[in-house]
Amino acid sequence: MKLTLAQKILWVAAALALVAFAALVWTGGLRTSSSEESAQQAFRPEFRLEDAAGRPVTSEDFRGRYRLVFFGFTNCPDVCPTTLSEVAQVMDGLGSQADRVQPLFLSVDPERDAGAELAEFTSAFHPSILGLAGSPEATQAAAESFKIFFAREDDATAPDGYSMAHASALYLIGPDGDWLRQYEYGMPATDILADLQNRLEGSLP
Amino acid sequence: MKLPVAAVLAFALSAGLVHAEPVRQGDLEIDAAWARASIGTSRPGAAYFTVRNLGDEADRLTGLSSPVSAMPMLHETTVSEGVSRMAHVEAAEIPAGGELTLESGGMHVMLMELTTPLKEGATFPLTLTFESGGEITVEVPVFGPGATGPAE
C-alpha cells in the first residue's frame, strides 16, 4: 500500500486522535455504562423515533411483546452485522413464538441512517428486524432512557471521517415495557434463544 | 485498483475460484479468507483471514489492496465496558511460528469506497503486503450479510 502525503497526514491525525481519546478515557472524562450499573434496578426505557417510512414509532407500540433492542449504525461493518446475525438466528430459533418478540435496531448515527437505507440494512439480516432512527435529540433521549453510551468519534480512516462508539449489548424489554436484562456482546445466539424461550414458557419473567 | 472489476469478478467466477484453500508463499500461509456481503456500495464491507508464519522470523502485515475497494484498511474492534469502538491498525505482527487471525468482532479489513457491491457467492482478489514476505494475493469468497465465520 503506497501512501500519498495526504494519507500519511490522515494516519498521523488518526494516531493523535487515538492518543487524545486514550488520555480522555484514562482521566475518566468519558462515562461508560457498565453492566452492573444497568442491572441494579428495573426501569422502563422509552423512545420516540421513526421507522424507514418516516412513521413515528414509540416503545409503547410494542406493548404485550418482548423487545430485543440493539443500538448500532449501518456503516458498522463488523460488530453490527455480527450482532444482527445473532438476532436473526434467535428469531429463526423461536419458530412459532417469534411473533411474541420484536427485534429493534436503533440507529446511533441518524445523520447517515434514515429511510430506505435503514430498512435495506436491517432486512439484509432478518425481515422481522425493525430499524428506527430519529433526530439527534430523540436519539440521545432514547440512549439515555436505556442508560447506554454512544459517541461520535473522528476517524480519518472511516467512511465520512467518523465512526460511532456504542454500547454493543442486546437489551431485553418485557411485555409491560420494563427493562429485563442485557445479553452481553458475544453471547452465543443459542444462549440468548434459551433465555428467551424460558421467558416465553413462563419460567422466567 | 484500476482493474476492470467486473472482468476480474467474472474471471474469478468462471475459473471456479470460489474456495478458501490456503495460499502459501515463502514462510507465509494465508487461510480461511472470507468477506461479508455488502449492502450496495455506500457502506463499508468487511473481510477476514488468518496468516500463519511458518518461518523463524516475525513479519508484519503492512498493506492491503483490492480492485473492489479504493480504500481497504486494517481495523480492530475493541469492546471495553460494554462499548464497542473501532480503531485503525497501521500494521499487524505475525510472530515467528505464530499466526494473525482476523475475525468477526476483532481485527478485520474494512473495505471502504467499494467499487462494486460484494455479492454473496462471488469472489474477489485481495492483495496483502508484508514487510518481509512481499505481496500475496488471495481470492476471497463472499458469504451472506449475516455470516460470522469462514465456514458457512
Side-chain angles (χ1 to χ4, degrees):
Chain A
M1 184 158 51
K2 291 186 181 65
L3 295 181
T4 64
L5 180 61
Q7 281 174 317
K8 281 180 184 161
I9 291 170
L10 285 176
W11 282 28
V12 168
L16 286 176
L18 259 183
V19 168
F21 176 65
L24 196 57
V25 169
W26 185 252
T27 56
L30 277 183
R31 188 176 55 86
T32 55
S33 72
S34 73
S35 50
E36 291 82 8
E37 194 183 315
S38 321
Q40 288 303 313
Q41 60 203 46
F43 57 99
R44 194 163 284 197
E46 286 176 349
F47 57 82
R48 193 167 286 275
L49 300 164
E50 290 176 6
D51 68 9
R55 290 181 294 249
V57 176
T58 73
S59 36
E60 274 297 297
D61 296 350
F62 306 100
R63 179 162 280 280
R65 280 193 286 168
Y66 286 89
R67 287 143 253 184
L68 194 53
V69 181
F70 180 67
F71 287 83
F73 63 115
T74 69
N75 270 269
C76 163
D78 187 46
V79 165
C80 304
T82 305
T83 304
L84 290 180
S85 110
E86 287 206 334
V87 171
Q89 289 173 53
V90 169
M91 295 311 291
D92 284 343
L94 285 172
S96 61
Q97 293 185 305
D99 57 355
R100 294 176 61 194
V101 179
Q102 174 61 54
L104 299 169
F105 176 84
L106 273 48
S107 171
V108 293
D109 187 15
E111 195 179 310
R112 289 187 291 199
D113 298 345
E117 294 248 322
L118 189 56
E120 193 185 20
F121 182 77
T122 54
S123 64
F125 298 95
H126 201 276
S128 69
I129 303 172
L130 182 61
L132 301 174
S135 65
E137 295 75 22
T139 305
Q140 188 64 46
E144 282 175 12
S145 174
F146 276 81
K147 304 189 183 185
I148 69 110
F149 171 86
F150 77 94
R152 176 178 165 138
E153 291 182 350
D154 291 336
D155 178 355
T157 69
D160 307 318
Y162 74 94
S163 180
M164 301 300 300
H166 61 94
S168 47
L170 279 163
Y171 305 95
L172 183 67
I173 308 302
D176 58 1
D178 279 350
W179 188 96
L180 292 179
R181 67 163 293 174
Q182 68 179 29
Y183 303 105
E184 296 291 348
Y185 172 73
M187 184 185 242
T190 46
D191 292 359
I192 299 172
L193 176 61
D195 180 80
L196 268 173
Q197 284 171 330
N198 280 336
R199 292 170 191 277
L200 292 169
E201 284 156 17
S203 48
L204 273 174
Chain B
M1 283 182 221
K2 285 174 189 159
L3 287 170
V5 173
V8 170
L9 289 177
F11 169 75
L13 284 172
S14 66
L17 294 175
V18 186
H19 65 73
E21 292 289 309
V23 175
R24 170 101 190 251
Q25 183 179 305
D27 287 335
L28 297 175
E29 187 179 78
I30 318 297
D31 196 7
W34 68 283
R36 191 175 281 122
S38 72
I39 299 147
T41 57
S42 62
R43 289 181 217 92
Y48 309 83
F49 50 79
T50 295
V51 184
R52 282 189 206 98
N53 185 350
L54 308 167
D56 301 329
E57 283 178 38
D59 202 344
R60 275 153 45 97
L61 173 64
T62 55
L64 299 155
S65 69
S66 175
V68 302
S69 163
M71 199 176 169
M73 288 276 186
L74 202 55
H75 271 76
E76 184 158 28
T77 300
T78 55
V79 181
S80 167
E81 294 197 48
V83 174
S84 65
R85 40 174 56 88
M86 285 205 305
H88 174 230
V89 178
E90 218 159 309
E93 182 165 307
I94 310 102
E99 61 181 43
L100 168 72
T101 305
L102 277 67
E103 60 191 343
S104 241
M107 203 178 285
H108 55 275
V109 177
M110 181 148 83
L111 298 162
M112 290 193 289
E113 297 176 26
L114 288 175
T115 54
T116 179
L118 304 181
K119 291 215 166 89
E120 185 171 356
T123 74
F124 63 87
L126 176 67
T127 301
L128 320 180
T129 305
F130 296 92
E131 204 168 62
S132 312
E135 290 190 351
I136 303 179
T137 300
V138 290
E139 222 21 68
V140 183
V142 181
F143 296 156
T148 55
E152 268 234 298

